[in-house]
Amino acid sequence: MLRFIFGRLAVLIPTFIGVSIIAFSFIRLLPGDPVMLMSGERVMSPERHAQIMTDLGLDRPIYIQYFDYLVNLLHGDFGSSIVTKRAVLDDFLQLFPATVELSLCAIILAVALGVPAGVLAAVKRGTWLDQTLMGTALVGYSMPIFWWGLLLVIFFSGYLGWTPVSGRISLMYFFPQVTGFMLIDSLISGQAGAFKSAVTYLILPTIVLATIPLAVIARQTRSAMLEVLGEDYVRTARSKGLSPFRVIGVHALRNALIPVVTTIGLQVGVLLAGAILTETIFSWPGIGKWMVDSVFKRDYQVVQGGLMLIAAVIMIVNLIVDVLYGFINPRIRH
Amino acid sequence: MAVVDTNSVPPSGTAPPSGLSEFWFYFSRNKGAVIGLVIFVIILVLAVFAPLVTPHSPSIQNRDVLLLPPALSAGGQWTYLLGTDAVGRDILSRLIYGARFSLFIGLVVVTLSVISGVLVGLVAGYFRGRTDTIIMRVMDIILAFPSLLLALVLVAVLGPGLVNAMIAISLVNLPHFVRLTRAAVMSERTKDYVIASRVAGAGTLRLMFLTILPNCLAPLIVQATLAFSAAILDAAALGFLGMGAQPPTPEWGTMLAEAREFIQRAWWVVTFPGLAILITVLAINLMGDGLRDALDPKLKRS
Amino acid sequence: MKKLTTLLAATAIATLMAGSAWSKTLVYCSEASPEGFDPGLYTGGQTFDASSRTVYNRLFEFKHGGTELEPGLAESYTVSDDGTEYTFKLRPGVKFQTTEYFTPTRELNADDVIFSFERQYKADNPWNKYVAGASWEYFSGMGFPELIDSITKVDDLTVKFKLKRAEAPFLANLGMDFASIMSKEYADKLAADGKMELLNQQPLGTGPFTFVAYQTDAAIRYKANPDYWAGKEKIDDLVFAITTDAAIRAQKLKAGECHVMAYPNAADVAELKKDENLTILEQEGLNVSYLAYNTLVAPFDKAEVRKALNMAVNKQAIVDAVFQGAATVAKNPIPPTMWSYNNAVEDDKYDPEAAKKMLEEAGVKDLKMKIWAMPVARPYMLNARRAAELMQADLAAIGVTVEIVSYEWAEYLKLSSAKDRDGAAILGWTGDNGDPDNFLDTLLGCDAVGGNNRAQWCNKEFDDLMTKAKATADVAERTKFYEEAQVIFKKEAPWNTLDHSLVFVPINKKVSGFVMDPLGIHRFNGVDIAE
């Protein structure tokens, strides 16, 4: 098992170096230079321009810049924003919990609805229920979620006035950030109504972000279940007269869930891509919105550092999924 | 899709079944797939004949009818069936022209990523060894980024616009085709028929393209369909974020982005472009499911 | 241990906020996150709203709603006869704010003033590079490094600025955000604790509002400074709700979730005006958008040609199509809200026929030209490409073929300055300090050729007026010089002046005392809210 984990880690290192090269090259491929953007319409004198280039280390040969960049990375220094001058890592850590909170809620919702829907569709295969569930799943899978989010806002926030339009919690509540997870922090704060407020702000973004993973998980569960239901041991269990609930719930589902777990793990990248759109629509202060804003502000130091950090998160999560899968299913270790 | 075989019985018996009619048999058994195909053909026809079927020009601004609601709502006019946008352009006409862009984007992206993905995948799967390792490592790197984020940054670097958006989306789609092709090639490579033709003296290129490739086509076609719809979604998302097609192009995502500020006042400018995206993508995905059923021999049995 | 203290401090803040449940709270929906809280480091208006205009004061302040100066932390000043030595008398008894993170032990003195400026230009000052990439954009942009000779303490409440040359706009510059006065005592404490970066995260000044907390990308909280030298504000708490989407800001304002909002969509203004709970304030922004010809390249070196082209363009159509009417056609290079604006100047009349004739008389036939369109939206020009397309159509009507070109923004800024630039460039300017010099000399002076002077236009007569106006402290006299300069400008037409955009601030009717500011800042001192 250890060998398996180390093998995976060994693959990770060159991949991460490759990721750093890509993230690093982006900023260099840009026409013009970032220093020009700092002053906007106001023209900078050539001397001052040269001075700032030197200060930022942009006038050195590119391979030295890259090497320094790598060394800094090893020290946990992901650079500083050109716009805010704050360390990219600080901003990332500040905003990441918001994205994790949203993503976790979304994946929980997706699993909680997706797995039962998939099982039900498989058991009732070919019936109108199966068709309705799978039809809905395909609609969800085809959904442009940025539009879906807008529709929900129009209806629930605009028309019915049930949910707030954007943000994480009502401005009425103010308490210190302890964990960064609004649901937990609001409970810790002990302020009456704070938790409820946090929940109402979370509902629509969670639904929007969960839509595609929900559809994928439902479809995946259904086909995994169908495969398992056809296997001999399930037939045997059935013929032995075990209750259908026991057959499906215990024997079939447990085996069917193995590929489903992998699917869930693979949704991390999908979730982060979805978070870009969801957070933009709901002004959710997470890393997805942060990246989009940085792209628009042309704050390429942040884009560069953010790409690295997000790629690192995805790679680590994938590694964990791989290892977990290795535990569940020893065959793939070799 | 010229063959319309209404046989409800699988072609069997004396004559060996033609591939196409067998395909159609399985495909047409999936009702959803047929519906998807019909919708897709309708959209395709509308897109091709856009100048003939649209009631208005997609770019002419009628200053007298700004934000006119759809015909069926109070205050609507029948000449503007789906209403008008903020500068008085007919939404229906813009949507129909938008279909051109979306289908075009899907087509270009799929062509680009299939051709390059298959080539790279063939090379990796056929030669193995160091070439394979390097290629797969590069694919891992691309996959380490969320696809939309990578596309967004790529477009920001290349400059916002439709062409660059298509390039970026093709690139982030590439690894799927490479991996699929490579896996298929690796499983076919050791099969008897390949060894047989190698022994018979077939050259590398001939082996790669004429012997192995045709036998890996089924999963590729299914993946290509999925990529087609994903490309439409991604391009629309980029347009929505302001990095895809630039206004006043009637691309659906871009239209949505422009419509966002009217979300409170004019539901129709927000609703219809998104609906158009959803219907198109859904139609293609329905077809994709049908294709998978028809092409994937493992699922045919069940 | 560190965790514990944070937690304790946090609980303290929480109790504090809970205790003020009945206080008067004003919520402002701001348009973007502040870049930081040290106004010297940044250029963004949202940053100034959140730092310099709430937490800090300057030696001089702009009058609410105007560009004239009034005493701030400096009670009075004297200037030497040659105009190079300014001596400021500081206001006595000004207290710095007391916050959770710092309790001041002394009042404002000359050391604070010297510290606030020296850190921005003395390379050996430990605060000169206290954050990565600190470049003191405005301090340099206003030419202070070349202007200031020395800043010395005469006594605790007297500071002397020695300049290298006479510069009339100097006082106006001291009212700008970068010239905010920080506490040296607080800075020293941070330096001693090795936490210098906190100066940019937990600001502490003498201003009307005390900083409480910043929730990244979500909200900034302030409370009224009880020790404020001009008296405590009428509101108790001030919250900036950061809402980047203009449509959502408008929705929050209508729902009563905020009381003042920044920058509505032009398209939403009409709708907001219908809401009987809201008042829409409106004013011309301190900006101008222009099309700068390259006056060094034929045939644009001839004033008749430039004038003819100006006459061919229907500027009202641009205002309608690009701004939905939320702008006014510009005739002068400075906006109407600025002192010395010459309203007697007459704009080139839109007359394609006459323009065509003029062009023929100038011997120009089959003219082909490029128009450069910026790739980004700026407050003075929301959509340069659309404006360029309109001009293209207008110019085609008099037989001029226009090709529209564009570059990436950084590239555009650089290339548009080049003396041999091919074509006319769309660009604009937003005023910094309300002084006409900041537009006229900065953008059209001979020194700025190859730089900010995108028309590459150097006119002796015009430039002499600029020099004279700079050396004069008397505003009435300067006004005359600038008015004359605008006449010359119009006669020579190095630009086609396109528009000044309108700025709107929708506020809830419960809010009183909010005044729009031509400099585009949002200030909340003097504002009250009815229960």
Side-chain angles (χ1 to χ4, degrees):
Chain A
M1 194 65 214
L2 269 183
R3 250 189 82 188
F4 171 71
I5 296 176
F6 279 120
R8 286 295 149 128
L9 276 175
V11 175
L12 223 56
I13 291 165
T15 313
F16 195 72
I17 291 176
V19 164
S20 76
I21 292 176
I22 289 193
F24 179 82
S25 345
F26 275 143
I27 187 171
R28 269 80 201 171
L29 287 173
L30 283 165
D33 64 71
V35 176
M36 286 300 294
L37 294 172
M38 291 167 70
S39 57
E41 285 88 345
R42 183 189 311 283
V43 171
M44 224 180 241
S45 70
E47 303 84 53
R48 212 172 115 63
H49 183 262
Q51 178 63 42
I52 296 178
M53 290 291 277
T54 313
D55 287 353
L56 293 175
L58 294 173
D59 57 345
R60 293 166 306 160
I62 197 136
Y63 59 92
I64 294 186
Q65 287 186 43
Y66 176 69
F67 184 74
D68 283 358
Y69 180 65
L70 267 191
V71 171
N72 286 340
L73 281 186
L74 291 177
H75 290 100
D77 177 1
F78 284 77
S80 292
S81 155
I82 286 190
V83 178
T84 69
K85 329 276 185 208
R86 275 199 306 268
V88 172
L89 187 62
D90 288 355
D91 276 1
F92 179 84
L93 293 177
Q94 178 81 226
L95 298 167
F96 192 50
T99 302
V100 174
E101 183 173 45
L102 178 59
S103 306
L104 273 181
C105 289
I107 203 78
I108 289 170
L109 180 71
V111 172
L113 295 181
V115 171
V119 171
L120 208 58
V123 174
K124 304 275 176 194
R125 180 162 190 234
T127 64
W128 62 270
L129 186 66
D130 177 25
Q131 279 165 4
T132 314
L133 284 173
M134 285 306 110
T136 316
L138 197 67
V139 172
Y141 182 68
S142 312
M143 188 65 84
I145 63 166
F146 43 96
W147 173 70
W148 177 226
L150 291 179
L151 278 196
L152 291 179
V153 169
I154 293 180
F155 189 69
F156 286 104
S157 306
Y159 183 67
L160 293 176
W162 288 358
T163 51
V165 177
S166 74
R168 284 185 81 187
I169 192 166
S170 161
L171 286 169
M172 266 177 64
Y173 303 101
F174 171 59
F175 40 79
Q177 181 169 342
V178 183
T179 59
F181 296 98
M182 198 52 91
L183 290 178
I184 299 174
D185 285 356
S186 62
L187 281 178
I188 294 176
S189 78
Q191 290 181 29
F195 180 74
K196 199 179 147 210
S197 170
V199 171
T200 56
Y201 276 80
L202 197 54
I203 290 175
L204 289 191
T206 302
I207 293 176
V208 170
L209 189 54
T211 302
I212 289 179
L214 170 57
V216 173
I217 289 172
R219 281 161 62 92
Q220 178 74 40
T221 308
R222 178 179 178 270
S223 53
M225 270 308 269
L226 282 182
E227 206 148 300
V228 173
L229 286 176
E231 304 250 349
D232 291 343
Y233 66 94
V234 176
R235 287 199 203 133
T236 320
R238 262 188 187 155
S239 62
K240 278 203 295 196
L242 289 178
S243 76
F245 183 76
R246 231 185 118 73
V247 174
I248 293 160
V250 180
H251 295 275
L253 186 57
R254 208 169 54 189
N255 286 293
L257 275 185
I258 294 176
V260 174
V261 168
T262 331
T263 310
I264 294 170
L266 291 177
Q267 293 301 307
V268 175
V270 177
L271 276 176
L272 281 172
I276 293 171
L277 294 165
T278 313
E279 291 180 1
T280 305
I281 294 167
F282 292 97
S283 300
W284 190 263
I287 51 165
K289 182 165 179 298
W290 175 60
M291 287 303 281
V292 173
D293 287 349
S294 302
V295 166
F296 278 95
K297 279 189 257 172
R298 288 154 213 264
D299 193 341
Y300 290 105
Q301 299 281 356
V302 172
V303 174
Q304 172 181 302
L307 276 176
M308 296 282 308
L309 286 161
I310 291 172
V313 168
I314 293 185
M315 278 161 32
I316 290 168
V317 173
N318 283 347
L319 175 77
I320 294 171
V321 171
D322 264 6
V323 171
L324 281 181
Y325 196 57
F327 269 114
I328 304 174
N329 189 354
R331 266 177 304 176
I332 68 130
R333 274 185 236 162
H334 305 289
Chain B
M1 224 37 68
V3 179
V4 182
D5 188 345
T6 47
N7 263 349
S8 53
V9 191
S12 59
T14 50
S18 93
L20 217 50
S21 59
E22 189 197 346
F23 165 82
W24 179 249
F25 169 75
Y26 284 111
F27 185 86
S28 61
R29 268 212 324 196
N30 184 330
K31 289 285 165 288
V34 177
I35 296 172
L37 179 66
V38 171
I39 297 175
F40 183 76
V41 169
I42 293 174
I43 296 171
L44 190 68
V45 169
L46 283 176
V48 170
F49 297 102
L52 300 178
V53 293
T54 50
H56 301 270
S57 149
S59 52
I60 282 188
Q61 311 179 353
N62 185 348
R63 299 257 151 194
D64 302 328
V65 286
L66 304 183
L67 289 176
L68 195 74
L72 288 174
S73 342
Q77 289 177 14
W78 280 105
T79 42
Y80 296 100
L81 204 58
L82 298 183
T84 60
D85 67 6
V87 286
R89 292 174 297 207
D90 179 41
I91 291 182
L92 178 64
S93 308
R94 286 177 67 73
L95 287 180
I96 293 174
Y97 272 92
R100 288 185 155 189
F101 286 98
S102 284
L103 297 182
F104 178 68
I105 292 165
L107 194 70
V108 171
V109 167
V110 168
T111 316
L112 271 180
S113 43
V114 165
I115 291 178
S116 44
V118 164
L119 277 180
V120 176
L122 271 177
V123 169
Y126 188 86
F127 292 109
R128 306 299 316 268
R130 186 167 293 171
T131 325
D132 181 34
T133 313
I134 294 174
I135 288 175
M136 293 323 283
R137 203 57 66 236
V138 173
M139 294 306 128
D140 281 351
I141 292 169
I142 298 179
L143 284 174
F145 298 102
S147 57
L148 185 64
L149 180 62
L150 189 61
L152 182 74
V153 176
L154 263 176
V155 176
V157 169
L158 296 171
L162 196 59
V163 177
N164 289 338
M166 291 192 291
I167 294 174
I169 297 169
S170 308
L171 189 80
V172 299
N173 260 322
L174 189 63
H176 301 291
F177 289 99
V178 174
R179 286 189 157 188
L180 208 59
T181 315
R182 172 175 172 270
V185 169
M186 274 164 55
S187 72
E188 296 292 317
R189 211 167 70 116
T190 48
K191 293 212 171 136
D192 292 344
Y193 75 97
V194 179
I195 295 168
S197 42
R198 180 178 293 149
V199 171
T204 305
L205 284 179
R206 191 188 163 78
L207 270 176
M208 272 165 63
F209 288 99
L210 293 180
T211 315
I212 298 181
L213 185 59
N215 288 293
C216 312
L217 274 182
L220 280 174
I221 291 174
V222 174
Q223 180 66 34
T225 324
L226 290 178
F228 195 101
S229 61
I232 293 177
L233 272 182
D234 283 350
L238 285 179
F240 179 73
L241 292 172
M243 283 287 176
Q246 296 297 300
T249 313
E251 195 273 323
W252 294 336
T254 312
M255 283 171 74
L256 257 181
E258 280 188 303
R260 255 190 99 180
E261 56 181 283
F262 303 102
I263 178 167
Q264 299 175 62
R265 298 195 281 141
W267 56 269
W268 57 95
V269 283
V270 182
T271 310
F272 293 126
L275 209 54
I277 301 173
L278 176 61
I279 290 173
T280 310
V281 172
L282 186 59
I284 297 167
N285 284 342
L286 279 169
M287 281 164 49
D289 276 6
L291 280 175
R292 198 193 51 212
D293 290 355
L295 292 172
D296 192 335
K298 208 171 72 183
L299 287 170
K300 266 185 214 168
R301 278 185 280 107
S302 60
Chain C
M1 189 60 215
K2 196 183 155 208
K3 266 246 168 75
L4 188 66
T5 35
T6 339
L7 200 66
L8 283 177
T11 335
I13 300 172
T15 0
L16 193 124
M17 294 299 286
S20 58
W22 295 101
S23 58
K24 273 191 202 176
T25 303
L26 183 105
V27 183
Y28 163 58
C29 274
S30 66
E31 78 279 19
S33 303
E35 298 149 301
F37 289 93
D38 180 347
L41 295 170
Y42 305 109
T43 54
Q46 82 280 16
T47 304
F48 298 151
D49 289 346
S51 60
S52 44
R53 299 294 156 182
T54 42
V55 177
Y56 294 109
N57 287 125
R58 287 136 299 277
L59 293 176
F60 288 90
E61 301 285 357
F62 296 112
K63 271 193 188 129
H64 246 26
T67 53
E68 301 88 6
L69 292 172
E70 61 183 16
L73 295 179
E75 259 189 342
S76 62
Y77 75 100
T78 51
V79 56
S80 67
D81 288 340
D82 63 353
T84 59
E85 262 186 41
Y86 286 80
T87 312
F88 299 97
K89 204 90 195 124
L90 300 183
R91 191 178 292 277
V94 173
K95 287 196 174 106
F96 281 100
Q97 296 145 357
T98 303
T99 61
E100 292 293 327
Y101 42 90
F102 184 72
T103 309
T105 63
R106 64 165 177 80
E107 292 169 350
L108 169 86
N109 68 27
D111 291 333
D112 298 315
V113 177
I114 295 173
F115 164 72
S116 303
F117 287 96
E118 283 193 345
R119 67 196 189 106
Q120 305 195 42
Y121 74 101
K122 290 211 163 158
D124 57 350
N125 188 304
W127 291 89
N128 190 250
K129 287 272 171 289
Y130 84 102
V131 293
S135 60
W136 311 106
E137 213 41 64
Y138 254 124
F139 191 86
S140 314
M142 304 313 290
F144 269 38
E146 298 83 41
L147 180 66
I148 294 185
D149 188 44
S150 67
I151 308 173
T152 45
K153 174 178 182 173
V154 180
D155 62 50
D156 258 6
L157 290 178
T158 316
V159 195
K160 190 171 7 169
F161 281 69
K162 209 166 159 346
L163 307 184
K164 288 179 187 155
R165 58 183 150 80
E167 170 97 347
F170 174 65
L171 282 182
N173 290 341
L174 290 184
M176 288 174 62
D177 303 87
F178 75 89
S180 296
I181 305 300
M182 332 275 282
S183 161
K184 180 163 194 299
E185 194 195 3
Y186 176 50
D188 286 344
K189 163 90 176 1
L190 291 178
D193 292 353
K195 293 186 199 150
M196 289 169 92
E197 73 281 0
L198 287 186
L199 188 68
N200 191 25
Q201 291 162 22
Q202 299 184 325
L204 184 131
T206 58
F209 296 98
T210 307
F211 175 84
V212 176
Y214 171 45
Q215 295 153 282
T216 311
D217 289 350
I220 317 169
R221 287 164 193 276
Y222 309 88
K223 60 184 170 63
N225 174 5
D227 305 321
Y228 189 44
W229 54 269
K232 183 192 164 288
E233 289 302 321
K234 291 174 203 139
I235 51 172
D236 301 296
D237 293 301
L238 174 65
V239 180
F240 281 24
I242 299 161
T243 318
T244 43
D245 188 311
I248 294 178
R249 282 202 296 281
Q251 195 157 6
K252 282 188 165 179
L253 183 76
K254 286 169 108 179
E257 287 177 48
C258 53
H259 307 107
V260 177
M261 82 169 267
Y263 307 111
N265 283 324
D268 285 344
V269 170
E271 183 80 4
L272 290 167
K273 275 183 179 159
K274 280 189 218 146
D275 193 316
E276 53 189 21
N277 294 319
L278 305 178
T279 311
I280 317 292
L281 307 175
E282 167 180 334
Q283 194 175 54
E284 272 120 351
L286 198 70
N287 60 39
V288 65
S289 165
Y290 57 79
L291 175 77
Y293 303 103
N294 186 348
T295 58
L296 295 178
V297 173
F300 309 102
D301 53 346
K302 289 189 198 151
E304 311 89 78
V305 175
R306 303 193 292 258
K307 255 190 138 49
L309 295 174
N310 283 359
M311 286 163 65
V313 172
N314 182 355
K315 297 196 273 191
Q316 190 58 46
I318 296 178
V319 165
D320 290 342
V322 178
F323 294 89
Q324 269 92 51
T328 50
V329 167
K331 61 179 182 182
N332 285 324
I334 60 173
T337 44
M338 184 173 267
W339 58 268
S340 84
Y341 180 79
N342 191 343
N343 209 7
V345 166
E346 242 181 82
D347 202 8
D348 305 313
K349 218 172 126 231
Y350 170 55
D351 188 346
E353 283 308 311
K356 201 169 180 177
K357 231 170 101 197
M358 245 174 108
L359 216 51
E360 273 164 23
E361 280 164 14
V364 177
K365 260 188 276 172
D366 302 326
L367 180 61
K368 285 190 174 56
M369 68 182 284
K370 285 180 180 156
I371 287 185
W372 291 37
M374 305 125 57
V376 293
R378 306 293 282 175
Y380 50 78
M381 177 48 73
L382 300 181
N383 189 335
R385 176 159 277 276
R386 198 178 294 166
E389 281 165 8
L390 290 166
M391 286 194 255
Q392 184 180 40
D394 284 345
L395 290 171
I398 64 161
V400 177
T401 318
V402 171
E403 182 195 344
I404 300 171
V405 292
S406 193
Y407 300 90
E408 220 276 334
W409 186 219
E411 198 76 345
Y412 188 94
L413 290 167
K414 190 167 142 198
L415 296 176
S416 61
S417 289
K419 282 189 189 173
D420 58 352
R421 182 192 70 223
D422 176 16
I426 299 178
L427 210 66
W429 186 256
T430 303
D432 303 305
N433 57 7
D435 198 292
D437 179 77
N438 179 239
F439 277 76
L440 296 173
D441 192 37
T442 311
L443 303 176
L444 294 157
C446 288
D447 284 348
V449 168
N452 281 323
N453 189 336
R454 256 94 184 180
Q456 320 297 352
W457 181 67
C458 179
N459 179 293
K460 183 85 178 47
E461 221 180 325
F462 183 92
D463 207 52
D464 283 348
L465 285 168
M466 290 301 117
T467 318
K468 274 193 240 165
K470 227 192 252 278
T472 319
D474 182 46
V475 172
E477 210 167 316
R478 288 182 68 201
T479 305
K480 265 188 241 143
F481 291 135
Y482 289 132
E483 282 176 350
E484 201 186 329
Q486 288 167 64
V487 175
I488 298 171
F489 168 86
K490 201 77 233 176
K491 196 177 81 209
E492 290 288 320
W495 296 350
N496 187 357
T497 48
L498 301 176
D499 67 78
H500 310 293
S501 69
L502 286 174
V503 182
F504 300 92
V505 181
I507 62 173
N508 193 299
K509 286 222 166 98
K510 282 198 277 187
V511 175
S512 59
F514 185 90
V515 182
M516 272 190 86
D517 211 302
L519 290 160
I521 48 187
H522 299 85
R523 290 206 273 189
F524 298 95
N525 44 333
V527 175
D528 197 4
I529 181 165
E531 293 297 324

